[in-house]
Amino acid sequence: MDRVDTPERARRLARVLISDVAAYAGDQVRIGLEKDDLLERLGPEITRARVFYLHHVDPCVAERAKLFDFALVDVLVYGNGRVQTHIW
């Protein structure tokens, strides 16, 4: 895989990685949102995805770490807005 060298490609890679984490975790995403321990519950999987992401995204890509964090919120949290939680 070539190094990702644009913010748009970095954003897409982050979303794909987090989508994979969510698909693999199954009900753990819902449970984590309900119990407000999502990041702890999926910590090892998220860490592996982040390491892969940072390894493949060129350090020169502006705000590359933030793009991953935004994907976490967008895919795992907002993507599961139907889950009953005290967050919303």
Side-chain angles (χ1 to χ4, degrees):
M1 173 179 201
D2 292 335
R3 300 243 341 154
V4 173
D5 58 0
T6 67
E8 182 56 36
R9 287 184 63 209
R11 185 178 298 108
R12 279 185 283 172
L13 176 59
R15 291 181 63 84
V16 166
L17 291 169
I18 299 305
S19 293
D20 286 351
V21 167
Y24 175 75
D27 282 342
Q28 294 302 309
V29 174
R30 178 187 53 79
I31 295 167
L33 286 169
E34 290 172 350
K35 295 186 178 212
D36 197 21
D37 67 354
L38 180 64
L39 295 180
E40 293 83 18
R41 184 175 295 273
L42 299 181
E45 293 86 357
I46 292 170
T47 298
R48 280 192 292 276
R50 186 184 302 274
V51 167
F52 181 93
Y53 172 83
L54 292 173
H55 179 75
H56 286 88
V57 176
D58 192 305
C60 296
V61 173
E63 300 187 7
R64 73 181 180 150
K66 285 185 181 179
L67 293 172
F68 186 88
D69 293 338
F70 289 147
L72 271 174
V73 172
D74 202 30
V75 174
L76 289 181
V77 179
Y78 292 138
N80 289 285
R82 66 193 177 283
V83 175
Q84 293 298 318
T85 178
H86 73 280
I87 297 171
W88 45 78

